[in-house]
Amino acid sequence: VLLLVHRRVSPMQDFAEEELSSQLESLRGPSDESHAHVEDGQKRARTKTQWISIKHLLDNAPSEMRIGQMLTSSHFNLFDSMSALELMEPKMDAGMARVEPVITPPPPDDTLPIGAVLSIMDHLFACEMTFYNGQPLTSSVMTCVYVQNVKSITNRYLRPYTLFVLRTCGEIKRTIDRVDVCMEEDFVSHVFGAYLADDQDDFIISRSCKEMEDEIEGRLLGTSSSPLSPLQQDPEKEKESCKAILARLKLRRHLHTALLALVQPLFHAADQALKFFELARQQLAVIRELAQVPDASPPPGVFDPISTRGMIASSPPRSTTVMAVPAAFSLMDSLLSQLCVVAKLSTLPLSPYEWKVRTLTPAPILADDSPAKKGKSPAKKGKAQPPPPKETISSVVLPLLSSLINYVTEFSNTHPLIVSRSYMMFSIQQHFLRHPHAMFGGVVVSVLEYGLPREWFADYTSRPEMMEFLDSIGKVTSSFLRLLCLNRARLRRKLAHLMQDLAVLQSMGDNVDAIMHEAVPLKHAVPTVSGQPFHNRFAGHYVLDYKANVMAMYLNLGFELNLYTMDEYVQVYWYLDYILLMQTSNSNNIISYNFQRHKAELTVAAQARSKVKGKNKKQEPPGPVIDVPTVPLSVRAHNYLQSALNNLAKGLFRYLSALQMIGAIHVPSHPFGTNHLRFLKRYAPFHQMQGQPTPLFYQHFHEVQDFSSSTSTKIFEAAVDSFKMCNELLKKVATYDPMPPNYETTLAEVKQLLRVGLTNMLNAMKADTMTKGIQDTKNMFACSVDLSSHPVYAILTLTPVPIQPKG
């Protein structure tokens, strides 16, 4: 053992180092062959190692060192010392040194049995899915010694399969690195110098794979032109083996083709990607239906977890558990389903409005013998000048921005893998964020759909306040769409920063309302009691609704991430009730104002028609016929759903308050702070925002929780009333069949919420019956929380605590 001082500052350290070496030499002894320098490898192998304790030297070493110095060795650096720390994390903990001998695998040629080929394919597929699930490439795919030297594979079935695996891994890695939405816990992008077949041509690989597929189909149909040796010794299993190989090759080819089509800039390429994703899912279903091959495990030595240490770049000596083959098939099925959702991004409902796009197209250069040049004087000598470009204005119909946000939000709620999240972000950037006209036009359509007056957009391009406001909405929306592609923990953390941008946007919206109401007075405005026109905060309400959605999402993510304790549920549902109530009243205000304004417009139009009819008929016209305006179906469904969620949150708050009042929920005393400090920390992002909604503090919650003048029975009854109102509103939403185009998946959520509301209503009535007539209910009941029906709104159940016998 030789210990060297890393930083030498005086000659005394050199002397101490030599003294330490001499002491070690004296401990070894001259006759000990185990520590002698032996050149012959065989003689060293026969030598028996003897261990000598040097603990007293290590104890004395720190006394001779100063602060800031460290001991190091050329064979044990900082990376090795950090890897030696066990963090109980498979990605970080180091593996053990190799002690077993190296097993030479069979050559990857056509002599491999078909069972071994299938088992290698399946195990390599499991390694690939392990890589997509966040493990390093060197600990998953590169553990196959055939993949490390893929050019040496001569097996006609295994070679295209392996090349497709490497090409797919490389394509997915490039897309993930390009969009940059993955974190260190999601994906390991460093490949440690591994070969990913970047120099191979996709067309050549697809052609060779298609040739193998045609050969196997010829075996199955008996139409092969050349005699081929059977794949199995047993003729009965020949057909099953052919189907297994064929399905695996088709799965690789369809998956790689779909991924290449998904990154194309055109929407019709997404349709092609969706087609190939569906074909890949069909082949995956065939693979899972077939019986297992006879050789369930690959040949020995083909997959060696420690073989990657000899690669070009030093890979960490970590051992990763590769997922089982059935689990890999299930994960691939989920991944293909998620990628199908990404490919369906082009099928979003379009806006009823047209957006004018101004483009410059070069004018065509006419030939000398063209009819337009006949009869004209000859051109002057010299270089011909190109004609000026022609300005054209085309109409483009864009998807609704609200539909895009809802679609991506629902996709994010399914907890997709990093692969599908990256491709979703890439598709959004490719089709929406890349084109400023598309995003700006989507914002204009969105605010018009929300209810902003169309008169304000007659000449809005000449108003800098309106342009700045719309541009800021586009930037915030772009950031929000990007955040939706992060994992749930990162999304919640980033939403706190997004609220700061929305607070700035709120003041801009209020400024736009004040300026536009003065510059463009609205016709047929709804008068107030004093007779003056009512100035509604259109832009301010739009931003307020945006902020309420983000705040509600921030609170909802806390349930999914298990951040709340049992005693905090009552606070969260109380704050959620406040946000949803504000959002519902905000939407009702806009809907009512637009309804009354539309009604006034129809009244004026009906009176004008009656005057014209009276003049033509020369008689007293009858009373004007007023058309009754109607609220769109999508607006009504959305409004009913918001009101239902508001009543459900209110009912859960009252239900939990009653349970806390009877002692079923214990409020602990925190040793590192008070409940007030925990409240401030939990809702700090809301307190930092300016403007509406007004943030709530712990004093407000403490006042609401004061039930000194009430009883638990009254609180239970109030909770039951809220649950009843919620169920009635949800039933109204469920009657809209088919659902509005913007709410495709709302019906499934409505069924979940109905189950939660009805169960909580019955449980609250049962809890009231159980606690009636009992004076002291402390420590007699316990409350259980069930979030299996809905990830946010829980089902609460009160159960009696069994009494323990004394003694």
Side-chain angles (χ1 to χ4, degrees):
V1 179
L2 181 61
L3 301 179
L4 302 178
V5 179
H6 180 66
R7 186 178 180 182
R8 299 171 179 171
V9 294
S10 65
M12 292 299 296
Q13 294 182 356
D14 295 335
F15 174 75
E17 192 174 298
E18 295 176 359
E19 182 68 20
L20 181 61
S21 300
S22 62
Q23 293 182 17
L24 291 176
E25 291 294 336
S26 63
L27 288 175
R28 290 175 181 171
S31 61
D32 191 358
E33 296 182 357
S34 62
H35 300 283
H37 183 70
V38 182
E39 297 293 336
D40 191 359
Q42 297 180 356
K43 187 176 180 180
R44 181 183 299 176
R46 292 194 302 266
T47 305
K48 184 179 179 180
T49 304
Q50 295 182 1
W51 297 94
I52 300 174
S53 176
I54 58 170
K55 186 175 182 299
H56 63 284
L57 296 178
L58 298 179
D59 293 339
N60 295 331
S63 62
E64 301 176 4
M65 299 178 61
R66 293 185 303 179
I67 297 177
Q69 295 179 347
M70 61 178 294
L71 295 177
T72 183
S73 173
S74 59
H75 302 290
F76 194 81
N77 52 22
L78 181 61
F79 178 78
D80 296 329
S81 62
M82 293 300 296
S83 299
L85 298 176
E86 295 294 335
L87 303 178
M88 306 306 295
E89 170 62 33
K91 294 182 182 180
M92 298 299 297
D93 289 344
M96 296 179 61
R98 181 167 200 152
V99 294
E100 69 275 4
V102 179
I103 301 176
T104 304
D109 52 15
D110 289 336
T111 60
L112 275 176
I114 192 61
V117 173
L118 290 174
S119 61
I120 291 173
M121 288 181 176
D122 290 343
H123 198 78
L124 184 58
F125 181 81
C127 293
E128 181 188 5
M129 298 310 299
T130 304
F131 171 59
Y132 298 154
N133 205 28
Q135 299 298 334
L137 185 72
T138 53
S139 302
S140 53
V141 177
M142 287 300 160
T143 57
C144 180
V145 296
Y146 293 163
V147 176
Q148 297 178 18
N149 191 12
V150 68
K151 296 181 180 179
S152 64
I153 300 177
T154 57
N155 186 282
R156 51 185 174 178
Y157 304 129
L158 197 58
R159 179 177 175 81
Y161 186 91
T162 309
L163 288 174
F164 265 135
V165 169
L166 293 177
R167 292 290 297 171
T168 304
C169 291
E171 182 65 29
I172 289 177
K173 175 191 171 300
R174 281 189 294 271
T175 303
I176 292 176
D177 292 340
R178 190 182 306 174
V179 297
D180 193 22
V181 295
C182 71
M183 302 298 170
E184 61 272 10
E185 67 269 17
D186 293 331
F187 188 76
V188 181
S189 60
H190 189 25
V191 298
F192 301 97
Y195 175 72
L196 294 180
D198 294 332
D199 56 344
Q200 299 290 330
D201 190 1
D202 293 326
F203 177 75
I204 296 177
I205 301 175
S206 299
R207 185 177 60 183
S208 61
C209 185
K210 191 66 173 62
E211 291 175 356
M212 294 299 103
E213 294 174 11
D214 296 339
E215 174 191 321
I216 297 173
E217 289 178 349
R219 288 175 180 268
L220 291 172
L221 300 176
T223 58
S224 180
S225 58
S226 59
L228 299 173
S229 58
L231 299 178
Q232 285 278 4
Q233 300 294 336
D234 190 356
E236 297 180 357
K237 297 182 179 180
E238 173 74 12
K239 186 175 181 180
E240 182 180 354
S241 299
C242 291
K243 288 183 178 180
I245 288 287
L246 182 62
R248 284 162 175 80
L249 292 177
K250 284 188 175 182
L251 172 63
R252 301 307 323 184
R253 185 168 59 87
H254 293 329
L255 176 61
H256 188 67
T257 306
L259 292 177
L260 292 179
L262 196 59
V263 297
Q264 298 301 318
L266 301 177
F267 261 135
H268 65 80
D271 298 336
Q272 294 293 326
L274 179 61
K275 171 186 174 183
F276 282 106
F277 280 137
E278 294 293 346
L279 292 176
R281 293 188 67 184
Q282 295 176 7
Q283 299 303 321
L284 183 62
V286 173
I287 295 174
R288 302 177 71 175
E289 289 176 1
L290 292 176
Q292 294 183 354
V293 295
D295 299 331
S297 59
V302 176
F303 291 90
D304 189 358
I306 316 179
S307 62
T308 55
R309 298 188 186 179
M311 298 176 59
I312 299 175
S314 59
S315 60
R318 294 166 189 153
S319 173
T320 303
T321 302
V322 178
M323 65 176 61
V325 175
F329 286 150
S330 301
L331 189 62
M332 175 55 77
D333 191 17
S334 302
L335 178 60
L336 290 175
S337 303
Q338 297 166 9
L339 290 174
C340 288
V341 175
V342 176
K344 292 178 181 178
L345 190 65
S346 60
T347 62
L348 291 178
L350 299 178
S351 168
Y353 303 100
E354 292 184 351
W355 179 252
K356 303 297 184 181
V357 178
R358 181 175 298 175
T359 57
L360 296 177
T361 56
I365 300 177
L366 301 177
D368 294 338
D369 55 350
S370 59
K373 285 196 173 183
K374 290 182 179 180
K376 290 187 178 181
S377 59
K380 298 181 180 180
K381 293 183 179 181
K383 186 176 180 180
Q385 297 293 332
K390 183 180 179 182
E391 184 181 54
T392 59
I393 299 178
S394 58
S395 299
V396 179
V397 181
L398 301 169
L400 288 172
L401 192 61
S402 58
S403 301
L404 177 62
I405 295 177
N406 292 337
Y407 191 83
V408 182
T409 303
E410 293 168 2
F411 172 78
S412 178
N413 292 337
T414 59
H415 302 272
L417 297 173
I418 179 60
V419 177
S420 51
R421 286 191 278 118
S422 298
Y423 276 95
M424 173 62 81
M425 189 63 219
F426 184 84
S427 299
I428 294 173
Q429 290 179 349
Q430 190 78 12
H431 303 299
F432 298 99
L433 305 185
R434 232 177 116 187
H435 306 286
H437 290 294
M439 177 53 67
F440 192 83
V443 171
V444 173
V445 171
S446 177
V447 296
L448 285 174
E449 286 292 323
Y450 185 77
L452 266 71
R454 293 183 177 86
E455 295 91 330
W456 289 5
F457 293 88
D459 192 20
Y460 69 95
T461 55
S462 60
R463 302 187 181 277
E465 296 84 4
M466 177 65 77
M467 293 294 292
E468 184 182 3
F469 175 68
L470 297 176
D471 184 63
S472 300
I473 293 177
K475 292 179 180 179
V476 172
T477 304
S478 302
S479 302
F480 185 50
L481 290 173
R482 181 179 180 81
L483 296 185
L484 289 174
C485 296
L486 299 175
N487 59 47
R488 309 300 281 176
R490 298 282 179 169
L491 170 60
R492 187 176 185 274
R493 187 180 306 175
K494 298 295 183 181
L495 285 178
H497 301 283
L498 186 67
M499 294 179 194
Q500 304 299 321
D501 299 335
L502 289 173
V504 177
L505 197 61
Q506 178 76 59
S507 60
M508 295 176 61
D510 296 338
N511 186 28
V512 167
D513 286 327
I515 293 176
M516 296 305 295
H517 273 298
E518 183 179 355
V520 185
L522 300 179
K523 298 180 180 179
H524 313 296
V526 180
T528 59
V529 179
S530 60
Q532 299 295 328
F534 176 69
H535 290 171
N536 203 349
R537 297 174 55 246
F538 295 103
H541 282 312
Y542 178 84
V543 181
L544 188 61
D545 189 75
Y546 209 138
K547 291 169 65 176
N549 286 329
V550 174
M551 294 171 67
M553 182 180 293
Y554 181 84
L555 293 178
N556 295 343
L557 287 172
F559 288 98
E560 298 184 23
L561 299 173
N562 297 324
L563 299 180
Y564 306 134
T565 57
M566 184 67 182
D567 59 292
E568 287 182 312
Y569 281 6
V570 61
Q571 296 179 4
V572 177
Y573 285 123
W574 168 72
Y575 217 124
L576 194 60
D577 170 35
Y578 168 69
I579 294 173
L580 293 174
L581 178 61
M582 177 199 59
Q583 191 176 17
T584 303
S585 60
N586 186 31
S587 300
N588 289 337
N589 189 11
I590 293 292
I591 292 173
S592 176
Y593 182 85
N594 289 330
F595 182 85
Q596 297 295 333
R597 187 164 177 264
H598 190 198
K599 185 177 180 180
E601 293 176 356
L602 294 177
T603 303
V604 173
Q607 291 175 354
R609 289 197 305 268
S610 62
K611 290 181 180 180
V612 173
K613 289 182 180 179
K615 290 181 179 180
N616 293 337
K617 294 183 179 181
K618 296 181 181 181
Q619 61 183 1
E620 187 68 21
V625 180
I626 302 176
D627 298 330
V628 179
T630 58
V631 181
L633 180 63
S634 59
V635 176
R636 279 184 291 171
H638 183 61
N639 192 28
Y640 285 150
L641 184 59
Q642 280 184 340
S643 301
L645 293 177
N646 181 22
N647 283 276
L648 184 55
K650 188 189 300 293
L652 286 171
F653 162 66
R654 292 173 174 174
Y655 191 5
L656 285 167
S657 299
L659 295 176
Q660 187 174 335
M661 187 176 183
I662 64 176
I665 299 178
H666 176 64
V667 181
S669 58
H670 304 284
F672 300 106
T674 62
N675 292 328
H676 188 190
L677 293 178
R678 288 175 61 86
F679 187 92
L680 292 177
K681 181 65 176 176
R682 180 69 71 189
Y683 306 102
F686 300 162
H687 299 157
Q688 296 173 2
M689 288 193 305
Q690 299 178 357
Q692 291 187 346
T694 304
L696 301 178
F697 293 92
Y698 186 74
Q699 291 80 1
H700 301 98
F701 176 72
H702 189 68
E703 294 173 0
V704 174
Q705 281 286 87
D706 186 11
F707 298 113
S708 58
S709 61
S710 182
T711 60
S712 60
T713 301
K714 293 182 180 180
I715 303 176
F716 276 126
E717 292 175 354
V720 170
D721 294 339
S722 299
F723 290 137
K724 286 182 180 179
M725 181 62 67
C726 170
N727 295 333
E728 292 177 1
L729 292 171
L730 290 175
K731 289 178 182 178
K732 290 182 179 180
V733 180
T735 54
Y736 294 144
D737 191 17
M739 296 297 294
N742 296 351
Y743 303 94
E744 294 87 351
T745 61
T746 303
L747 193 57
E749 185 181 2
V750 165
K751 293 180 180 179
Q752 296 176 356
L753 295 172
L754 272 172
R755 188 183 304 112
V756 172
L758 182 60
T759 307
N760 280 324
M761 183 181 68
L762 298 177
N763 289 345
M765 297 171 64
K766 183 179 178 181
D768 186 21
T769 306
M770 292 171 59
T771 56
K772 275 185 178 180
I774 302 178
Q775 298 295 332
D776 187 11
T777 58
K778 188 176 181 180
N779 299 329
M780 293 186 60
F781 300 95
C783 176
S784 61
V785 179
D786 182 15
L787 289 171
S788 59
S789 298
H790 195 275
V792 175
Y793 300 98
I795 295 178
L796 306 175
T797 307
L798 184 68
T799 56
V801 177
I803 301 176
Q804 299 292 336
K806 296 182 179 180

